Amino acid sequence: MNKIQVLDRDGNELNMELIFSFVCKETGKNYVALYNNDSVFEKNSRFANIDILEMIQVKSRYIYVSTIPDEDWDTVKHCLQFNVFSKMN
């Protein structure tokens, strides 16, 4: 199976791997949880390098992403917590 490539709005490849995607009914948009392979924290950190970004386009095996606008973030965060994580067992 071909690996999904993550690209920014300008088509530049990001060193990230897809974890999962979800839809937020309140915003009507799709989002992805991505593992950032570029270390953000120290190697011994307990924090993961996970980003939540908005999907702006999907083409074949490419996902184009963008940052979530500030005005949408609280709604997306609530959706992620109550509609995604709360459903995981």
Side-chain angles (χ1 to χ4, degrees):
M1 184 171 164
N2 290 333
K3 182 180 173 185
I4 302 289
Q5 290 186 304
V6 181
L7 307 172
D8 68 11
R9 164 181 309 280
D10 299 321
N12 300 310
E13 187 172 357
L14 302 174
N15 190 17
M16 296 181 167
E17 295 177 38
L18 178 66
I19 301 170
F20 64 86
S21 63
F22 65 99
V23 176
C24 179
K25 292 179 187 176
E26 293 79 10
T27 64
K29 298 177 184 176
N30 298 313
Y31 301 91
V32 289
L34 301 165
Y35 180 79
N36 188 340
N37 289 310
D38 294 330
S39 292
V40 176
F41 302 105
E42 305 271 332
K43 294 288 185 209
N44 62 352
S45 174
R46 295 191 299 176
F47 295 100
N49 295 330
I50 295 177
D51 290 321
I52 306 296
L53 297 172
E54 183 178 325
M55 278 197 304
I56 56 174
Q57 187 177 23
V58 177
K59 284 187 175 179
S60 183
R61 61 186 182 101
Y62 300 97
I63 297 174
Y64 291 81
V65 297
S66 179
T67 57
I68 298 170
D70 290 340
E71 60 271 13
D72 289 347
W73 176 241
D74 284 337
T75 303
V76 173
K77 185 171 56 172
H78 185 271
C79 176
L80 186 61
Q81 181 178 357
F82 292 98
N83 298 334
V84 178
F85 292 149
S86 68
K87 308 274 191 257
M88 294 180 176
N89 291 324

